[in-house]
């Protein structure tokens, strides 16, 4: 009986340490990447604002060619939704909704993941004229890991995991725009 009590006490201590550590760890993550495209800012913005066009350069959209895509609303405008369904675990099921458009500068969107996990995040794409024929494009995603799940954030390396896909997507965009 004494051994069971000690094992139980050790388990309670371990769980307590994990929960206390998670309480002090960050819950938010933010990942951003940028690239310079040799095209005027207005033409780059006119292209990236449309959800259908984003599927041409997004890494995630190209993982599953059999993915089912549906669209609601007026693409490129607030309220437009692009939804996806895939049997491929890395793609899953979810939707992206345009939540704000700052004409010629930035598009903000909500990301709602439904499978393989239920999660939400927010993202943006912005364009900034560097010169008449060069545009800096930024792509960012940020979200929150709820307590106590935030204890896993250091192991997940969100900047590396999401960042490489954002960077590859921006490189795809650059190639497409500069053709």
């Amino acid at each position: 009986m004494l051994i069971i009590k000690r094992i139980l006490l050790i388990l309670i201590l371990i769980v307590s340490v994990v929960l206390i550590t998670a309480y002090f760890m960050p819950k938010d993550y933010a990942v951003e990447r940028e690239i310079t495209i040799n095209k005027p800012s207005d033409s780059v913005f006119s292209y990236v604002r449309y959800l259908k066009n984003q599927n041409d350069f997004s890494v995630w959209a190209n993982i599953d060619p059999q993915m089912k895509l549906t669209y609601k609303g007026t693409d490129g405008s607030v309220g437009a939704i692009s939804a996806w369904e895939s049997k491929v675990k890395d793609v899953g099921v979810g939707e992206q909704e345009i939540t704000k458009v700052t004409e010629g500068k930035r598009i903000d969107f909500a990301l709602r993941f439904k499978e393989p996990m239920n999660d939400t995040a927010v993202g943006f794409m912005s364009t900034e004229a560097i010169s008449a024929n060069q545009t800096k494009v930024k792509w960012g995603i940020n979200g929150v890991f709820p307590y106590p799940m935030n204890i896993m954030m250091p192991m997940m390396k969100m900047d590396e995991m999401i960042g490489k896909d954002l960077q590859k997507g921006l490189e795809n965009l650059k190639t497409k725009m500069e053709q």
Side-chain angles (χ1 to χ4, degrees), residues 17-114:
V17 167
V18 168
L19 291 174
I20 290 168
T21 303
Y23 182 77
F24 291 102
M25 294 188 77
K27 294 172 187 67
D28 302 335
Y29 66 88
V31 181
E32 265 185 42
R33 293 296 186 269
E34 65 181 53
I35 199 163
T36 300
I37 297 176
N38 296 315
K39 284 285 187 180
S41 178
D42 59 340
S43 66
V44 175
F45 183 80
S46 293
Y47 185 78
V48 299
R49 79 178 296 161
Y50 293 101
L51 298 174
K52 287 181 183 176
N53 290 345
Q54 290 182 19
N55 290 324
D56 293 338
F57 60 86
S58 167
V59 171
W60 302 292
N62 293 308
I63 291 174
D64 180 10
Q66 304 302 315
M67 174 175 53
K68 179 184 172 197
L69 293 167
T70 56
Y71 300 93
K72 297 178 199 163
T74 304
D75 198 2
S77 302
V78 172
I81 297 174
S82 168
W84 67 89
E85 278 185 54
S86 172
K87 293 179 179 158
V88 176
K89 184 181 175 188
D90 289 342
V91 179
V93 177
E95 63 184 18
Q96 175 178 341
E97 179 179 0
I98 297 174
T99 56
K100 182 179 179 182
V101 177
T102 306
E103 197 58 47
K105 301 243 183 257
R106 182 175 163 127
I107 178 171
D108 292 276
F109 45 88
L111 293 162
R112 294 181 283 268
F113 305 100
K114 298 174 183 177

Side-chain angles (χ1 to χ4, degrees), residues 110-158:
L111 293 162
R112 294 181 283 268
F113 305 100
K114 298 174 183 177
E115 290 178 19
M117 62 183 170
N118 195 348
D119 192 23
T120 60
V122 294
F124 74 91
M125 290 194 84
S126 67
T127 58
E128 177 186 338
I130 295 173
S131 68
N133 223 19
Q134 281 193 317
T135 305
K136 182 192 316 181
V137 179
K138 284 186 183 179
W139 193 358
I141 295 176
N142 55 65
V144 176
F145 271 81
Y147 172 83
M149 298 305 292
N150 63 315
I151 191 77
M152 297 186 311
M153 240 176 33
M155 295 167 274
M156 293 191 73
K157 300 180 181 175
M158 296 301 285

